[in-house]
Amino acid sequence: MVSEHSDAPDGDTAALALKILVAGGFGVGKTTLVGAVSEIRPLRTEELLSEAGQSVDDTDGVDHKTTTTVAMDFGRITIRSGLSLYLFGTPGQDRFWFLWDELSQGALGAVVLADTRRLEDCFPAVDYFEHRRIPFVVAVNCFAGARRHGASDVSRALDLDRGTPVVLCDARDRDSGKEVLIRLVEYAGRMHTARLLDSVG
């Protein structure tokens, strides 16, 4: 969690900034989501897919994809006055997972993007955040032509812990992405408060 404080003219302290991760499998829409919601020009570390990566990158279902994130995406969105989110999009391929531990330091929570055509690709992200007790929501990116599944069906298929939110979204749409982030902040806030109460109880 990242916080910023500055003295406002009326004596109030100013902005709170929260760190959020956007994770999921290869080609699921992480870069698209960060770019769609960011109010600043997003930082991207995309490189062209190479022949060398063909043996390790599973492009089934995303044959049109020509680039991949090799470090992270970064964007920022103001949810309301005094509350901003710093968004860090994680790389999707296995060989870049060593970056996740660094990126997850201080994160309030995470969005795990899922594609129902390749649902198994988000299992590693779900396991990662569950094992580290980082609150997360699963956001099903509703691709054109993909079969629609309800939130409860996705939750069962991923064997999520009870109460973990599953929301449907369009990663290309700013309002849709913002709703996902608001849902995450609300859920993560409840989880952190409950843990704090447990620790002092």
Side-chain angles (χ1 to χ4, degrees):
M1 187 184 307
V2 181
S3 62
E4 293 180 344
H5 299 279
S6 63
D7 293 327
D10 59 2
D12 293 337
T13 56
L16 173 67
L18 304 174
K19 182 179 183 181
I20 301 295
L21 300 186
V22 179
F26 178 63
V28 77
K30 300 179 294 294
T31 298
T32 300
L33 177 64
V34 172
V37 302
S38 182
E39 62 199 17
I40 63 172
R41 183 177 180 180
L43 168 68
R44 292 175 173 159
T45 58
E46 288 198 307
E47 295 292 341
L48 290 172
L49 291 172
S50 64
E51 291 185 10
Q54 288 180 352
S55 61
V56 290
D57 293 333
D58 180 10
T59 57
D60 287 344
V62 287
D63 302 336
H64 62 285
K65 189 169 175 61
T66 59
T67 62
T68 185
T69 299
V70 296
M72 68 173 187
D73 300 309
F74 174 78
R76 186 189 71 211
I77 179 174
T78 301
I79 296 296
R80 58 172 170 75
S81 178
L83 176 59
S84 297
L85 304 182
Y86 289 165
L87 308 175
F88 292 81
T90 65
Q93 301 99 308
D94 298 10
R95 67 183 186 279
F96 295 125
W97 281 351
F98 66 92
L99 295 169
W100 285 37
D101 287 338
E102 290 293 330
L103 290 174
S104 65
Q105 292 295 319
L108 174 77
V111 173
V112 176
L113 271 177
D115 177 354
T116 56
R117 301 169 302 179
R118 313 170 83 209
L119 198 57
E120 67 280 359
D121 289 359
C122 70
F123 285 167
V126 168
D127 289 343
Y128 182 91
F129 297 122
E130 283 184 345
H131 290 155
R132 287 160 181 79
R133 301 187 72 217
I134 297 174
F136 67 95
V137 302
V138 173
V140 179
N141 193 6
C142 298
F143 287 90
R147 183 180 174 187
R148 296 298 176 101
H149 296 272
S152 59
D153 294 333
V154 173
S155 181
R156 284 194 298 271
L158 293 176
D159 194 25
L160 297 177
D161 290 341
R162 185 175 180 180
T164 302
V166 176
V167 294
L168 307 182
C169 75
D170 182 343
R172 303 165 300 178
D173 182 78
R174 188 176 195 276
D175 289 339
S176 180
K178 186 174 180 179
E179 284 300 316
V180 170
L181 296 171
I182 291 171
R183 185 77 178 272
L184 170 63
V185 171
E186 293 173 345
Y187 174 65
R190 292 195 302 270
M191 293 293 290
H192 285 293
T193 298
R195 290 171 186 173
L196 180 61
L197 292 174
D198 284 345
S199 68
V200 299

